[in-house]
Amino acid sequence: METPWWRDAVVYEIYVRSFADASGDGVGDLPGIRERLPYLKELGVDAVWLTPFYPSPMADGGYDVADYRDVDPLFGTLGDFEALVGDAHELGLRVIVDIVPNHSSDRHPWFRQGLRDRYVFADEPNNWQSTFGGPAWTQVADGSWYLHLFAPEQPDFNWRNPAVHQEFLDILRFWLDRGVDGFRIDVAMGLYKAEGLPDVQDQSFRSRSPVWGQPEVHGVYRAWREVLDSYPGERMAVGEVWTDSAEDLARYVRPDELQQSFNFAWLLAPWSPTAFKTVIDDTLAAVPFATWVLSNHDVVRHRTRYGTADPGTGLMRAKAALVTMLALPGSVYLYQGEELGLPEVEDLPPEARQDPVFARSNGKIPGRDGCRVPLPWTTGSPSYGFSRDGVAPWLPQPAEFAELSAERQSGDPESTLEFYRRALSCRRDLVRSIPYTLEWLPSPEGALFFTRGPLTCAINCGPDPVRLPPHETVLLASGPLDGDLLPPDTAAWMSGSPLPARRDDG
Ligand code: GLC
């Protein structure tokens, strides 16, 4: 059987507000993405995932959807969306869209019309907390309360009402009819809440919680899978599943459910060979087809996460982690700007911050704006090519973005961008010819060596150089090697036995 495209795809997450602004209002949009598709093709990704672009009051950057079947004027029109999908497909890029089934906006017509049986209302709140801080309940004029696991502007749907179920089947078809190749399912372990809404006893156990991961949610994904399979062309869905258990994660990717779920254990792992090895072993044992991700629009960029007092170390580690991740069996999700080596922007002024997490924690938690700063395309201020001349982007960019811009890095073999292009091209040449399985090799302290058929990968997380495992040729390295020695914070790919010839050397 042919391998379905998503099994080893490299998917690039586009946070739509921050990718490229063609309209000149300071906010990214669909025409901006369309103009930059050739950049993504050249980067070497297989698919893009677009974060929500639907009509929304933007209480949570678009994850508060008021109309699931249209495009917010801020981002363009349905016609722009169709043109974007058409261009992407012509370039051989697949398109995944975000679907937000756990909650809508409080401006959604159902909520505005007071259709209470479609949301979770109660006479008394229980002890559940909002993910964004504070209680998960808000009182309405008649004294009753509605549930919002996120911001108050995001009321949770009542999935025990069949009308909700039907509505989402119809929404999936709406976008599948417009040619999308798949869906990223927001808060995929939400949707159903335990009958009777009992108090949470232990906030730390997501996999045994009345709030998350109720067994009924799997019926939803079985029904969605039937819809996906009824369309031609290997349509797929990837679930955003935050859980503390690999077995729980595996339930979402049973053969008749979702094709993929995100594997956040990899992103949460510290810079440690034992932590990496444990996550890799647990993941490969638990799920039929793994996914790997280091950064997204909700977490601190991994360059900064891995950093020490020396900012260069963070970038070296980020590149080494990429080389390792690209060698693992399964598919990879990249986040816009990581190919430029962008750091988390940690010093945004409070008045610029828009993530509701910041306001709801009274400024105690900085929130997620630092990884959402608009991308630098050129060296010219004020927006480094993100927007039109003279237009300020919706979040301010730091001065260092000029040096990190795509324009500045393109063509410079030492740059992070050219390194990503080489790494993705190298992976493309190999990935279909190597087995899904992984075997560990004996590794010196601080390092991790593994093989996948003819490919050997080595990463050194320790403080001292280590000798590379036996090999014929080094195919790719995240930094300079010292003869046969792999320096600290560096990873490399080697061929052990004869490999198929490469098309180019990037
Ligand atoms: C997901 C999204 C996040 C959003 C939340 C609520 O976790 O990735 O950005 O705030 O869901 O929709």
Side-chain angles (χ1 to χ4, degrees):
M1 202 186 80
E2 271 278 295
T3 307
W5 70 270
W6 45 263
R7 228 191 70 174
D8 48 28
V10 175
V11 184
Y12 182 97
E13 178 189 357
I14 296 183
Y15 189 69
V16 176
R17 296 159 91 197
S18 303
F19 187 70
D21 169 26
S23 70
D25 60 2
V27 180
D29 47 40
L30 301 182
I33 298 170
R34 202 174 156 208
E35 282 171 15
R36 302 285 181 183
L37 287 175
Y39 167 86
L40 296 173
K41 182 68 190 171
E42 193 185 348
L43 180 60
V45 301
D46 302 299
V48 294
W49 146 32
L50 308 178
T51 57
F53 47 77
Y54 315 110
S56 162
M58 301 288 153
D60 182 23
Y63 281 95
D64 46 325
V65 180
D67 177 355
Y68 286 84
R69 295 181 186 78
D70 205 350
V71 173
D72 195 287
L74 194 59
F75 301 129
T77 62
L78 256 186
D80 291 330
F81 177 79
E82 283 165 4
L84 168 58
V85 172
D87 283 7
H89 285 169
E90 235 163 73
L91 287 168
L93 295 169
R94 310 259 182 172
V95 179
I96 296 174
V97 298
D98 222 307
I99 187 105
V100 188
N102 181 69
H103 46 264
S104 71
S105 160
D106 61 351
R107 309 316 293 156
H108 187 283
W110 286 2
F111 199 77
R112 290 174 68 168
Q113 289 160 19
L115 300 177
R116 292 182 169 224
D117 57 344
R118 299 184 186 184
Y119 293 90
V120 181
F121 274 85
D123 295 337
E124 291 295 331
N126 62 15
N127 74 348
W128 295 5
Q129 294 294 301
S130 153
T131 311
F132 291 165
W137 296 90
T138 290
Q139 198 167 26
V140 294
D142 72 0
S144 62
W145 302 74
Y146 69 88
L147 177 71
H148 51 86
L149 294 180
F150 296 89
E153 297 88 346
Q154 294 168 295
D156 278 51
F157 281 120
N158 170 20
W159 273 86
R160 301 193 183 274
N161 183 337
V164 174
H165 194 81
Q166 276 312 317
E167 175 70 356
F168 273 91
L169 293 176
D170 195 64
I171 293 165
L172 294 183
R173 290 197 191 95
F174 180 89
W175 294 104
L176 289 166
D177 289 341
R178 273 154 194 81
V180 306
D181 298 284
F183 297 95
R184 177 265 187 188
I185 305 166
D186 189 62
V187 195
M189 71 298 178
L191 283 59
Y192 281 84
K193 282 83 196 175
E195 285 284 13
L197 305 172
D199 277 349
V200 171
Q201 304 300 337
D202 180 349
Q203 302 274 0
S204 64
F205 283 105
R206 273 182 182 258
S207 53
R208 278 188 276 137
S209 146
V211 186
W212 309 107
Q214 300 306 301
E216 294 92 329
V217 77
H218 297 286
V220 174
Y221 300 136
R222 283 188 201 107
W224 288 20
R225 179 61 178 263
E226 279 179 25
V227 173
L228 292 168
D229 287 349
S230 73
Y231 280 78
E234 301 175 339
R235 315 289 177 109
M236 54 76 77
V238 53
E240 186 207 17
V241 181
W242 290 93
T243 174
D244 48 18
S245 124
E247 296 86 69
D248 186 38
L249 194 69
R251 289 190 198 109
Y252 292 82
V253 289
R254 287 178 284 197
D256 57 349
E257 295 196 36
L258 308 177
Q259 283 86 350
Q260 296 185 331
S261 70
F262 286 117
N263 173 17
F264 294 118
W266 176 246
L267 167 158
L268 295 169
W271 185 254
S272 136
T274 38
F276 287 161
K277 182 168 186 299
T278 304
V279 173
I280 293 169
D281 281 337
D282 288 355
T283 304
L284 295 180
V287 301
F289 304 114
T291 66
W292 309 97
V293 62
L294 289 167
S295 278
N296 66 32
H297 67 284
D298 291 327
V299 300
V300 172
R301 283 187 177 276
H302 63 281
R303 171 183 178 167
T304 303
R305 226 171 45 228
Y306 289 146
T308 54
D310 162 27
T313 304
L315 182 58
M316 283 181 68
R317 290 181 176 177
K319 288 161 79 175
L322 178 84
V323 166
T324 308
M325 174 165 77
L326 289 177
L328 295 173
S331 88
V332 162
Y333 283 78
L334 305 178
Y335 177 51
Q336 68 180 33
E338 68 170 85
E339 78 279 15
L340 303 174
L342 296 190
E344 183 82 1
V345 179
E346 291 176 304
D347 57 355
L348 285 168
E351 62 280 7
R353 291 196 180 266
Q354 298 199 15
D355 184 357
V357 170
F358 180 71
R360 284 179 70 81
S361 69
N362 292 320
K364 284 197 205 68
I365 305 176
R368 302 162 293 175
D369 292 313
C371 65
R372 298 175 176 181
V373 175
L375 292 194
W377 292 98
T378 64
T379 48
S381 49
S383 74
Y384 308 112
F386 167 72
S387 191
R388 295 224 187 111
D389 282 352
V391 177
W394 70 276
L395 280 175
Q397 301 151 299
E400 65 176 311
F401 268 29
E403 285 308 305
L404 294 169
S405 67
E407 177 185 64
R408 178 55 59 89
Q409 297 194 40
S410 214
D412 172 1
E414 302 294 309
S415 71
T416 308
L417 177 58
E418 291 298 344
F419 159 74
Y420 262 72
R421 287 176 176 159
R422 277 198 304 278
L424 292 176
S425 147
C426 197
R427 173 180 158 106
R428 219 172 28 252
D429 291 347
L430 292 171
V431 76
R432 297 243 152 175
S433 60
I434 53 178
Y436 183 84
T437 51
L438 174 151
E439 273 169 59
W440 297 109
L441 296 175
S443 320
E445 204 180 321
L448 213 50
F449 296 171
F450 61 87
T451 63
R452 289 185 59 201
L455 175 72
T456 299
C457 178
I459 178 168
N460 183 4
C461 304
D464 304 310
V466 298
R467 192 158 298 284
L468 288 170
H471 63 276
E472 267 170 17
T473 325
V474 173
L475 302 169
L476 175 74
S478 65
L481 302 181
D482 180 7
D484 253 5
L485 293 180
L486 182 66
D489 302 320
T490 307
W493 285 12
M494 291 140 282
S495 65
S497 47
L499 274 172
R502 299 231 12 233
R503 273 202 305 273
D504 78 270
D505 270 313

